[in-house]
Each structure stands twice: as structure tokens, then as C-alpha cells.
Amino acid sequence: LVAGARSGDKGGDANVGVWALSGDAWRWLAHTLTVDRIRELLPESADLTVTRHVLPHLRALNFTVEGILGEGVAAQARFDPQAKALGEWLRSRHLDIPEALL
């Protein structure tokens, strides 16, 4: 209801883009969705390098999770070898959202 997400792979790495649907939601998202919070919400990334890119004019954040796909899609037994569902996996996680944004 508050943010959209899309994800995919780049070799063994995954990119997860998250964007807010309003200015108020963007302010909340930019302050809430940190690298540490991503590691909490996606525990499989806890020991991996996660880089956050802030794209304020798009009201979006992009996270690169290095090595989550091992050597890449061809060498992977992961349920989502191309990381196409990682964004929706993130959106399925529970997080306190200000009532005003709902």
C-alpha cells in the first residue's frame, strides 16, 4: 500500500528497487529502510555486503546485495535464482507503518 518493489540479478548479485507512492511515504521510507533494516527483513543478506543508493527525485531506494546468488543463475539452486521475487519477499515482511500512510 505504501511502496512498490522490483528486483533482479546481476551475476551473483541482486538489485532490489523500492519506491514510495507519495511524498509522505518517501520521507518515511528513506528514513526507515536502511541497510541494517534490509538485513533484518531479509536475513539471508545478514552476512553479505549490502549497498544502498538513494534516488530522491524518483522517491526510490536501490539496494545491491552482493553474492546472494552465489556464482549466478546457472550455478544456483536457490528458489529464486534470478532474484525476481526478492522485492516481493521484502514487501511481504512485517514493518510498522505510520497509520497516516495507510
Side-chain angles (χ1 to χ4, degrees), residues 15-89:
N15 280 301
V16 181
V18 183
W19 62 90
L21 304 178
S22 71
D24 289 340
W26 164 244
R27 286 182 282 285
W28 170 79
L29 183 70
H31 287 33
T32 302
L33 201 54
T34 63
V35 168
D36 288 338
R37 185 60 60 91
I38 285 287
R39 287 193 171 115
E40 290 172 18
L41 297 171
L42 302 175
E44 61 270 41
S45 70
D47 295 328
L48 302 174
T49 299
V50 178
T51 305
R52 179 183 189 242
H53 302 278
V54 180
L55 307 162
H57 295 295
L58 298 174
R59 295 191 306 221
L61 301 169
N62 184 74
F63 294 89
T64 303
V65 184
E66 294 181 30
I68 195 167
L69 300 174
E71 294 180 26
V73 68
Q76 189 51 237
R78 186 178 160 85
F79 79 94
D80 181 25
Q82 293 180 309
K84 297 295 184 193
L86 195 58
E88 289 306 310
W89 175 239

